[in-house]
Amino acid sequence: YEAAHALLAGALEKAREAGDAAVEAIASGYLGVWLTDRRRYDEAEQLLGRQLRLSRAAGDRTGEASALCNLGNVLWHRGEVERAEELYTRHLELARALGDRRGEAIALGNLGNVTFDRGDEENARALHRGSVALSREVGYRRGEARALGALGIDARRLGRYAEAEEHYRRYLDLSRAVRNRLGEAFAQLNLARLRILLGDHDGAQALIDAGLGLLEEIGARHAIAYGLELRSQVAEARRDRPAAIGDLERARTIARETGPRSTLDAACLALGALSDDDALLAEVDRGEDVRLSVLAACHRARLGTLPVAEAARRLAEQDRRLDVHTRIEAHHLLSLIHI
């Protein structure tokens, strides 16, 4: 990762010194993507905005399409869903105008992500399926893997675990085939999450160890926190409280530095629940992740720091947006209070 950054930064500097706008646009795009992967969104937006302006000035519609896609990714990661959707839609239109089927597949997958975030799960599912089909048609295995990962998450949320595992296994195979080690690690961690839900903690542990090993090897700290949070769930299931707390503390530290916010909130929620720490639970309660916020509210009701009626109201209000497992867990927490 760091070696790639040095090469890209050097290429950008040389292009600027030489006044080569075409190479500057390309280098800005690649470096912007690198910064996006590292969660350095403000810097990424500046470089990708530069790529967009240079590409348009040169009449480079392919470069413009790339910049629209990558800028949309920055906005989506920052939670600016409406602005991201606007850029993704423009990318889709431009890809179709250029006859760029691979770009079209990417745009469909990105639009599936923002459509899901807006709560339109049925259309999101259709967009991701369209991305899978088109990616297969043009032989774009990275795009197929990414869309299958999204469909796996959707199936898991619906409690269709066998279907989710099928998608994740294909995601893993494709990631290995194209040597996408980050994708391989995420596929392993997502499979581990399924194993945890199914009560197979030994299987989950093996997958987590493999995924974390890859992430440590490539230096992807922003993803390590997710693996640590999953490993803490296995430790907790095995009643190894010190190990669970240790993993969660490390996950929280990393997530505070690198993001994403959802991983930070997941670690804080688990720590708060294990230690009955209302301050941590309140932090998650104020967050934007509906699933984690509802669970935090139910835990706070269990502690007596939030009225049970308020937690129940919020659970009922968000019920349709929750995955099967979260819905069961939240209702179980509230039922314990009434016993």
Side-chain angles (χ1 to χ4, degrees):
Y1 276 87
E2 298 305 323
H5 176 261
L7 287 171
L8 292 169
L12 179 59
E13 183 179 354
K14 288 181 179 178
R16 285 174 173 168
E17 289 174 355
D20 190 332
V23 174
E24 181 184 350
I26 293 169
S28 295
Y30 279 117
L31 189 53
V33 170
W34 185 92
L35 289 166
T36 303
D37 288 342
R38 307 300 289 177
R39 305 301 197 262
R40 291 159 61 176
Y41 299 131
D42 291 343
E43 297 170 75
E45 185 176 13
Q46 289 181 3
L47 282 170
L48 294 170
R50 178 68 173 162
Q51 180 195 15
L52 181 60
R53 290 190 295 274
L54 288 171
S55 297
R56 283 176 170 167
D60 179 5
R61 300 183 78 198
T62 300
E64 179 182 354
S66 173
L68 288 169
C69 172
N70 293 329
L71 270 172
N73 291 341
V74 170
L75 296 174
W76 179 61
H77 282 299
R78 283 204 311 221
E80 299 179 46
V81 175
E82 290 185 6
R83 289 183 63 202
E85 184 172 22
E86 179 184 341
L87 293 184
Y88 287 152
T89 300
R90 286 161 59 190
H91 175 219
L92 177 62
E93 293 168 350
L94 189 50
R96 284 174 170 165
L98 292 169
D100 178 7
R101 304 282 278 165
R102 173 173 158 171
E104 183 179 349
I106 293 170
L108 288 172
N110 287 335
L111 283 168
N113 290 336
V114 294
T115 301
F116 179 84
D117 287 347
R118 286 195 288 98
D120 188 351
E121 296 180 16
E122 186 174 345
N123 280 325
R125 202 170 297 126
L127 285 162
H128 283 304
R129 285 174 178 159
S131 180
V132 168
L134 190 51
S135 294
R136 283 177 180 166
E137 183 181 323
V138 300
Y140 180 41
R141 291 185 290 180
R142 278 182 180 265
E144 182 184 353
R146 193 179 300 117
L148 284 168
L151 286 172
I153 292 171
D154 178 60
R156 174 182 56 75
R157 290 183 73 260
L158 295 171
R160 301 203 297 257
Y161 297 146
E163 180 183 337
E165 180 160 9
E166 182 181 345
H167 289 318
Y168 286 148
R169 290 287 177 192
R170 179 63 176 156
Y171 176 23
L172 178 60
D173 291 343
L174 287 167
S175 295
R176 284 173 171 164
V178 298
R179 298 183 180 181
N180 179 1
R181 303 183 79 194
L182 182 60
E184 180 181 349
F186 268 118
Q188 289 170 326
L189 294 179
N190 285 335
L191 281 165
R193 189 168 184 177
L194 275 182
R195 293 291 99 202
I196 291 170
L197 291 172
L198 293 168
D200 177 12
H201 298 115
D202 290 341
Q205 185 71 60
L207 287 161
I208 291 167
D209 288 345
L212 280 175
L214 271 177
L215 294 173
E216 295 278 7
E217 195 175 318
I218 64 178
R221 292 190 75 243
H222 63 284
I224 288 172
Y226 174 48
L228 290 171
E229 191 268 325
L230 288 176
R231 193 167 71 181
S232 76
Q233 293 183 38
V234 175
E236 185 181 358
R238 291 172 170 170
R239 303 187 184 283
D240 188 348
R241 183 186 175 92
I245 290 177
D247 278 340
L248 288 170
E249 290 284 8
R250 187 180 170 210
R252 182 174 63 160
T253 298
I254 293 173
R256 282 199 191 281
E257 295 174 2
T258 67
R261 175 62 190 269
S262 59
T263 300
L264 173 61
D265 282 351
C268 288
L269 173 65
L271 270 174
L274 273 175
S275 56
D276 290 341
D277 187 331
D278 185 62
L280 282 176
L281 294 170
E283 183 179 338
V284 179
D285 195 3
R286 293 190 295 269
E288 296 180 358
D289 189 305
V290 171
R291 182 182 71 86
L292 298 176
S293 179
V294 166
L295 287 176
C298 291
H299 277 292
R300 296 186 72 204
R302 175 179 60 81
L303 295 178
T305 57
L306 186 75
V308 175
E310 172 61 14
R313 182 193 66 78
R314 289 170 55 185
L315 172 57
E317 188 177 85
Q318 302 294 344
D319 191 73
R320 293 185 63 186
R321 298 183 63 187
L322 301 177
D323 60 272
V324 171
H325 183 73
T326 300
R327 190 180 298 120
I328 292 171
E329 183 179 353
H331 281 286
H332 176 65
L333 283 168
L334 292 183
S335 71
L336 291 176
I337 299 170
H338 292 298
I339 291 175

